[in-house]
Amino acid sequence: MALLKIISPEGNERSVELDEHNSLGRHPDNSIQLLDRIVSKNHCLIDAADGKFILKDQGSLNGTYVNGERVQGTRPLKSGDEITLGSTKMIYTAASEAPAVAAPGMPQAGAVPGRVTMTAGMVESHIRSKLAQQSAQNFMTERLVQDEAALRRDYEKLRVSFELTRAIAGELDVGKLLAKILSTAFELLAADRGVVLMFDDKRQLQPRCVRTKRGEATEEVALSSTIINEVLRDRAAVLSSDALMDSRFKGAHSIIMQGIRSSMAVPLIYSDELLGVMVLDSQVAANAFTAKDPQLTQALANQAAVAIQNSLFALKIEKEALTRERFQRLLSPAIAELVVSGDLAVEKGGQARDTTVFFSDIRGFTALSETRTAQQIVDMLNEYFEMMVETIFKYEGTLDKFVGDEIMALFGAPVSHPDDPIRAVRVAVEQVRALEEWNRVRVAEGEPAINIGIGINSGSVVAGYLGSSKALEYTVIGDVVNTASRLCSVAKAGEIIISKSTYELVKDHFTTEALAPTQVKGKAQALQIYRVLGEKTPRT
């Protein structure tokens, strides 16, 4: 089978064997997921056709490149081709030239982090017999039960399931959950040591929980990749009643050196997805595990896999909720959902966009601050910002930032609408109206009225996420932004000042008044500006 060597943006390498159909992208539903923020959700396909593999771009934003050339439509691959998706590079090797590799996620010989090491058997190729798949975990109806032994086995499976369910009920922390799973396994089986290995984001097995009967924290546990590879390949339990004599593991150096007399490994499978492997062994008894133990342990593992997956789902939901909360402080709820779902990329860099930039500022704020305590000013600003931002989000604008009492908002970035300039001016009109209502209440309570000036400008800006890899801020840069800020400074209390570029885009929807050309800082020539008086056809 053809091979794809993948080099991540961080320089990490992995190799995958290509199937007949391969989808590549950032979304986890792809057969080959690429954790690269510049890669599209569903970036490209690599499919087998007539003995060759054909690459097809799926309309990705940043394109798919082969040997430096952007792929338009489809392109046949030849051995040695370098494929670039975002910051990820891949080397394609045809089937005739591809070296034999371990299956995805197979553990390799060598050290594994923690107190667990993994050693390859000296003659793993001698393992030729394939273990039978575990029998279905379904239970027969009462009228079909005729064998007392089968009844006892079913009872034992139910007992195992009950004991584990009771032990792990309500536990969502993965580490604590795995510890309880091994603890329950030790109560049910004559094991001296146990390890749970799970796949990481790179589909490599990593030890997540280790337990020994003696509880020695410094005790090192060596696992045989001979056994684990067989479990991963066959997705079935492996039982060795006496590893020193079991012909399937003859020559498996790691087992012999440790003197393991009994060993058992079972896959952790949830809805046909292989999550990892649980390994139990005994160093003191040749028949520590009986013939029924693999079936009981598999029942335990199946129950454990469900609990593990539920825990992972809970962590994912919690993470998404935190991400959603963070983005909803910046973006309207609808746009924040796009970011959380992966439909809108959050990636470092910028692109040119036609954007309407909105600035508003409280007039006389400095004088007001001198007559109030810091806490009174904070309380007033919070109430004011809440009201203003609600209006911005109502028209799907993006809150860029607060600077003291100033608000900067964007319409057209990161998501654009055909009527973004109209939306921006409409927000300004509604904010002035909302402020009038708020001031009636404030004056009635003996507080001074709050007045704002608003400046709006439209044009091409560079928009994107700027900052470090750990702290990104979505913003826009360009002369359009500076001019909008200057217009805000020109606006008097209660005024909405727009540039000529914005005027041309909204003049059919709003009543305006042309003002005398105005000189603003940073501009060699005076600007033609307009005052917005209201909407021509007020909406109900």
Side-chain angles (χ1 to χ4, degrees), residues 195-235:
V195 179
V196 176
L197 303 107
M198 292 181 61
F199 289 109
D200 60 17
D201 292 339
K202 299 176 182 177
R203 292 302 292 172
Q204 295 298 317
L205 277 182
Q206 300 292 347
R208 293 292 301 274
C209 187
V210 183
R211 178 184 171 90
T212 62
K213 194 170 187 178
R214 288 175 291 187
E216 296 179 4
T218 58
E219 182 176 348
E220 184 170 320
V221 178
L223 302 180
S224 171
S225 56
T226 305
I227 293 175
I228 295 173
N229 285 348
E230 186 154 331
V231 173
L232 295 178
R233 184 178 63 246
D234 298 335
R235 299 167 71 91

Side-chain angles (χ1 to χ4, degrees), residues 168-302:
I168 64 178
E171 184 59 71
L172 294 179
D173 182 278
V174 176
K176 294 179 181 179
L177 179 64
L178 296 180
K180 289 183 178 181
I181 290 170
L182 281 182
S183 178
T184 302
F186 272 57
E187 293 176 6
L188 298 170
L189 302 161
D192 294 321
R193 302 179 306 180
V195 179
V196 176
L197 303 107
M198 292 181 61
F199 289 109
D200 60 17
D201 292 339
K202 299 176 182 177
R203 292 302 292 172
Q204 295 298 317
L205 277 182
Q206 300 292 347
R208 293 292 301 274
C209 187
V210 183
R211 178 184 171 90
T212 62
K213 194 170 187 178
R214 288 175 291 187
E216 296 179 4
T218 58
E219 182 176 348
E220 184 170 320
V221 178
L223 302 180
S224 171
S225 56
T226 305
I227 293 175
I228 295 173
N229 285 348
E230 186 154 331
V231 173
L232 295 178
R233 184 178 63 246
D234 298 335
R235 299 167 71 91
V238 171
L239 169 65
S240 175
S241 297
D242 190 330
L244 298 181
M245 301 178 64
D246 193 325
S247 62
R248 291 181 302 111
F249 304 117
K250 183 179 180 180
H253 184 68
S254 60
I255 297 179
I256 295 173
M257 290 299 292
Q258 286 205 92
I260 297 173
R261 307 290 291 182
S262 297
S263 181
M264 180 165 54
V266 295
L268 298 170
I269 300 175
Y270 173 81
S271 186
D272 205 39
E273 179 184 358
L274 186 60
L275 303 179
V277 179
M278 181 166 64
V279 183
L280 301 169
D281 66 44
S282 171
Q283 295 177 287
V284 297
N287 294 297
F289 304 127
T290 65
K292 73 174 183 177
D293 284 339
Q295 187 177 25
L296 291 176
T297 309
Q298 188 64 69
L300 179 75
N302 291 344

